[in-house]
Amino acid sequence: MTTTGAQRLRLLATRRMMPDVEARLAASFDVTLNPTDTPLTRVEVLARTSGIDAILTCSLDKFGPDYVGELPASVRIIATHSVGYEHIDIGLAKARRIAVTNTPDVLTEATADLTLLLILGAARGASWGDRMVRENRWGEPSLISPLGFDVSGRRFGILGMGRIGQAVARRARGFGMALHYHSRRPVADGLAHGATYHGRFADMLPHCDFLSINCTSTPETRGIVNAANLALMPWGAILVNSSRGDIVDDDSVIGALQSGQLAAAGLDVFKGEPNIDPRYRSLDNVFLLPHLGSATPATRSAMGHRAIDNIEAFFRGERPRDLLTGD
Ligand code: DGY
């Protein structure tokens, strides 16, 4: 049980979580759950945080300045059940001496698995193939149509060689792909899985038959996959994104998919999701998923426990393992 003096700590969870995670919350804290699993309005969040010590949230809920600036002084930590943390105003939290933590590592393998699904799904036409069968449009089998694109042995570029990028590289090696990557700094040799480092994103792009976005969303990366950069890739390249939707410029990507400059794309994340740019829905050469990167029971459960571990460490007076507001 997590206490401060004789009192149990009070925690607000903004969303439903896996049953074992909620059970641990109930056993350890005086917890306010969100049984409806619908987003709380700003007014509801602020009303429910009165007297609260800790908030457990996720990337679906935005903790911008209008939230973080208004939280009561009782709130000491915001733990997000996500590796991404661009939805929280970290600078303001730090200024208000509110700790912020995330949940890296535990979703790496699931997200890398899904990235391979995007690559294969986009290249081999999983969406249109599935629709042809379901809608009874298979027609007369032919040797020349429909056709997808090869994956094995092709050139593969990774934007962002963090934990997930490395796990994607490890998998792509199994397909005999020639690997390239761009990130702010080169990683240690063993972590690159034989990938060639490019110090400039633009220098990597001519080598990318496939480009996988695995970087975090920051002011530097937002919109970086734009028309100018797409034009540096080989004609007919394939783009996949399992990171954040705002790293791509939707107009540029949709234009490239329409012209054939991009042969296909596999997208799990979108700017403004779930309200995605409607033009994606009418394109046959995109394989679309609803942000499923970490969506397995074991991974979601591990993320919840990792978030609670961080909160408990914080209230024991220790430095949480995944502290984002440290020096
Ligand atoms: C993350 O953890 O950031 C995933 O994208 C799920 O939100």
Side-chain angles (χ1 to χ4, degrees):
M1 184 182 300
T2 308
T3 58
T4 159
Q7 270 203 318
R8 287 175 113 204
L9 285 161
R10 296 187 61 194
L11 182 145
L12 169 71
T14 63
R15 295 282 177 147
R16 290 298 309 268
M17 303 197 181
M18 295 301 289
D20 55 323
V21 173
E22 290 194 345
R24 181 171 163 196
L25 288 174
S28 305
F29 298 91
D30 179 357
V31 66
T32 303
L33 297 172
N34 173 5
T36 66
D37 203 22
T38 50
L40 300 173
T41 64
R42 178 173 169 277
V43 171
E44 286 169 335
V45 168
L46 295 177
R48 287 175 204 203
T49 49
S50 165
I52 287 284
D53 302 289
I55 298 174
L56 177 47
T57 188
C58 65
S59 59
L60 302 174
D61 295 325
K62 311 297 169 213
F63 275 75
D66 50 336
Y67 281 66
V68 177
E70 299 296 318
L71 292 174
S74 61
V75 174
R76 308 270 314 285
I77 180 167
I78 301 170
T80 182
H81 179 300
S82 61
V83 65
Y85 49 85
E86 71 288 340
H87 55 292
I88 302 174
D89 188 328
I90 302 281
L92 184 54
K94 212 169 161 177
R96 292 206 57 202
R97 305 180 75 78
I98 300 171
V100 181
T101 60
N102 67 339
T103 58
D105 301 323
V106 288
L107 45 56
T108 298
E109 302 303 325
T111 308
D113 288 349
L114 182 118
T115 306
L116 268 291
L117 171 64
L118 293 176
I119 292 167
L120 294 168
R124 301 302 300 270
S127 285
W128 54 252
D130 181 81
R131 281 198 301 278
M132 278 176 71
V133 178
R134 282 178 200 279
E135 295 167 9
N136 201 16
R137 291 190 287 112
W138 194 342
E140 186 59 34
S142 157
L143 294 183
I144 54 165
S145 170
L147 300 173
F149 302 95
D150 286 317
V151 173
S152 295
R154 308 286 301 283
R155 296 172 300 170
F156 181 56
I158 298 173
L159 172 59
M161 199 59 139
R163 301 172 188 85
I164 297 171
Q166 291 164 28
V168 170
R170 186 158 31 90
R171 286 160 174 73
R173 268 180 73 97
F175 285 86
M177 300 181 95
L179 305 183
H180 298 262
Y181 76 100
H182 166 71
S183 51
R184 271 173 300 181
R185 282 174 293 280
V187 298
D189 278 352
L191 302 179
H193 298 283
T196 302
Y197 177 65
H198 298 268
R200 292 178 62 235
F201 182 44
D203 291 344
M204 176 175 77
L205 292 171
H207 305 278
C208 297
D209 298 320
F210 287 78
L211 173 66
S212 175
I213 301 174
N214 296 107
C215 58
T216 51
S217 169
T218 65
E220 292 75 44
T221 61
R222 273 172 219 139
I224 194 172
V225 179
N226 54 23
N229 281 327
L230 288 169
L232 298 174
M233 296 173 71
W235 187 267
I238 293 179
L239 172 74
V240 301
N241 189 3
S242 57
S243 176
R244 285 293 183 265
D246 58 8
I247 294 165
V248 309
D249 174 63
D250 286 326
D251 281 338
S252 305
V253 169
I254 290 166
L257 285 163
Q258 286 166 337
S259 70
Q261 183 178 15
L262 280 177
L267 306 174
D268 184 46
V269 288
F270 303 85
K271 189 171 177 183
E273 62 189 47
N275 303 311
I276 72 170
D277 189 315
R279 291 174 294 173
Y280 283 120
R281 296 199 186 97
S282 58
L283 289 169
D284 234 4
N285 53 349
V286 286
F287 176 52
L288 305 173
L289 293 176
H291 202 149
L292 297 180
S294 65
T296 72
T299 300
R300 287 281 162 84
S301 174
M303 291 167 77
H305 287 290
R306 179 91 169 217
I308 301 175
D309 290 347
N310 282 320
I311 297 169
E312 292 186 339
F314 176 81
F315 285 111
R316 281 196 304 269
E318 297 163 13
R319 183 189 170 90
R321 186 171 175 186
D322 306 312
L323 185 68
L324 297 166
T325 42
D327 295 326

